[in-house]
Amino acid sequence: LRIPDHIDCFFGVAGLSGAISNYHNTFKVNYIANKYITETYLKERMSEGGAICYVTSTAGSYWDKYSKEFQLFTRAKTWEEMVHVLEYQAKEDSVGVMAYPFSKRALNYYMATLAVELAPKGIRVNALLPGATDTGMIKEFEAEAGGIDKLLENAGMANRLADAEEMAKPLLFLNSDMASFISGTCLKVDYCNDAMIRLGLKKDESKS
């Protein structure tokens, strides 16, 4: 397989929960791989009208409150430089689940800086922040949350988990012409969960 010389849009979907992977591997897949692809290929092969969307997480909310933690990662450009920062930041065998929210916040921060950087070139950059979703990693997230009931508490008013298609559709929207004036946005797809938090109707677990 060969990477095209011109890329119209990019979907940064790959991710690890950290439940069965160590800190370094979780962070490399969730953050470093996305940034490496962007810096190495997308910036050179995308033109006006291009679009990038990373799938992060509602666990990555409040990225702006933690911006100082991401400065070194944001300045690092190559894979080696980012791994060096990672090695400075945490031990490889540290608990993987601790890397999950950190990697998602870091990617949301990178998304925002990249959106501003690429705006003059007419390239849009956004992030999709899924709520509780039934994916191949559902058992891992259940274990981390303390059971399916706890996981459902992050499903807003839906009283069920979202299915993958319900995340795929807004993801496609963000990279389509229908979202031509949307860039630098963290779109939460959580069926009122964020609204309930802001109304003071429930505790925000992502702050912990």
Side-chain angles (χ1 to χ4, degrees), residues 133-134 162-172:
T133 306
D134 188 359
D163 61 43
E165 185 176 350
E166 290 172 309
M167 295 300 154
K169 288 178 179 178
L171 181 64
L172 289 170

Side-chain angles (χ1 to χ4, degrees), residues 48-92:
E48 184 174 359
I52 299 168
C53 190
Y54 306 111
V55 175
T56 63
S57 170
T58 52
S61 300
Y62 308 108
W63 54 268
D64 52 323
K65 306 294 184 184
Y66 299 86
S67 60
K68 290 183 179 179
E69 298 179 10
F70 314 133
Q71 299 296 324
L72 292 177
F73 284 111
T74 303
R75 288 197 291 267
K77 299 299 182 184
T78 67
W79 181 278
E80 291 75 19
E81 288 174 350
M82 287 185 278
V83 170
H84 178 71
V85 174
L86 177 60
E87 290 171 345
Y88 170 79
Q89 197 263 343
K91 293 181 178 180
E92 182 175 4

Side-chain angles (χ1 to χ4, degrees), residues 7-82:
I7 298 171
D8 295 311
C9 60
F10 174 75
F11 299 88
V13 179
L16 296 174
S17 71
I20 57 176
S21 56
N22 65 30
Y23 194 105
H24 279 201
N25 286 340
T26 302
F27 194 86
K28 285 176 182 177
V29 171
N30 291 357
Y31 177 83
I32 293 180
N34 279 295
K35 186 176 180 185
Y36 175 78
I37 291 170
T38 303
E39 297 292 331
T40 306
Y41 300 106
L42 302 186
K43 284 187 176 182
E44 298 297 325
R45 304 189 187 198
M46 297 189 85
S47 57
E48 184 174 359
I52 299 168
C53 190
Y54 306 111
V55 175
T56 63
S57 170
T58 52
S61 300
Y62 308 108
W63 54 268
D64 52 323
K65 306 294 184 184
Y66 299 86
S67 60
K68 290 183 179 179
E69 298 179 10
F70 314 133
Q71 299 296 324
L72 292 177
F73 284 111
T74 303
R75 288 197 291 267
K77 299 299 182 184
T78 67
W79 181 278
E80 291 75 19
E81 288 174 350
M82 287 185 278

